[in-house]
Amino acid sequence: VQLVESGGGWVQPGESLTLSCAASGFTFSNYGMSWVRQAPGKGPEWVSAINAGGTYSAEADSVRGRFTISRVNDENTLHLQMNNLQPDDTAVYYCAKPRSMRIMVYDGSRSAYDVWGQGTQVTVSS
């Protein structure tokens, strides 16, 4: 079972990035998925989650209206479109798989998930 994130980088405030997460080793379409981020010196923060079918999603207050989660089950991929990025969005971003099928997890703690990717760094600065 593996999750591999990509798409991070350095951007200026107000710019956009799209993160991707490639899943393998499990039936991706059976699981809700989450994005979690961790800024330097801070604990993990839940960012967004999407249900198994891709028909419902939720975002943290800090990113609502700027970030959009999506998935393509036929391609086993999860995405996070991030618009109007701000310095406070600087963090390592992880995709994460819950332990149970067909649930959505709104939690940033490590124990809430059984599989994490290696993370992708997003840096927002001028």
Side-chain angles (χ1 to χ4, degrees):
V1 178
Q2 191 174 20
L3 299 171
V4 179
E5 300 93 340
S6 61
W10 174 84
V11 296
Q12 295 187 336
E15 294 186 339
S16 299
L17 277 176
T18 300
L19 305 183
S20 295
C21 172
S24 61
F26 66 101
T27 305
F28 181 68
S29 59
N30 283 347
Y31 290 85
M33 296 291 293
S34 294
W35 286 99
V36 177
R37 68 185 181 184
Q38 187 161 15
K42 297 185 177 180
E45 175 191 15
W46 173 77
V47 174
S48 186
I50 189 167
N51 69 345
T55 57
Y56 179 79
S57 64
E59 298 78 34
D61 289 345
S62 58
V63 306
R64 187 169 295 119
R66 300 187 298 123
F67 290 13
T68 303
I69 190 172
S70 63
R71 64 191 296 160
V72 182
N73 283 346
D74 288 347
E75 297 178 357
N76 291 344
T77 56
L78 179 73
H79 304 283
L80 186 68
Q81 173 67 42
M82 306 185 295
N83 297 327
N84 191 22
L85 283 160
Q86 300 300 317
D88 283 350
D89 297 317
T90 295
V92 178
Y93 284 72
Y94 301 89
C95 60
K97 169 190 168 294
R99 299 180 185 280
S100 301
M101 291 192 296
R102 304 195 185 285
I103 64 169
M104 290 175 66
V105 176
Y106 307 90
D107 188 340
S109 61
R110 287 261 168 191
S111 62
Y113 307 93
D114 63 350
V115 183
W116 293 71
Q118 85 288 351
T120 186
Q121 176 71 47
V122 173
T123 302
V124 186
S125 73
S126 54

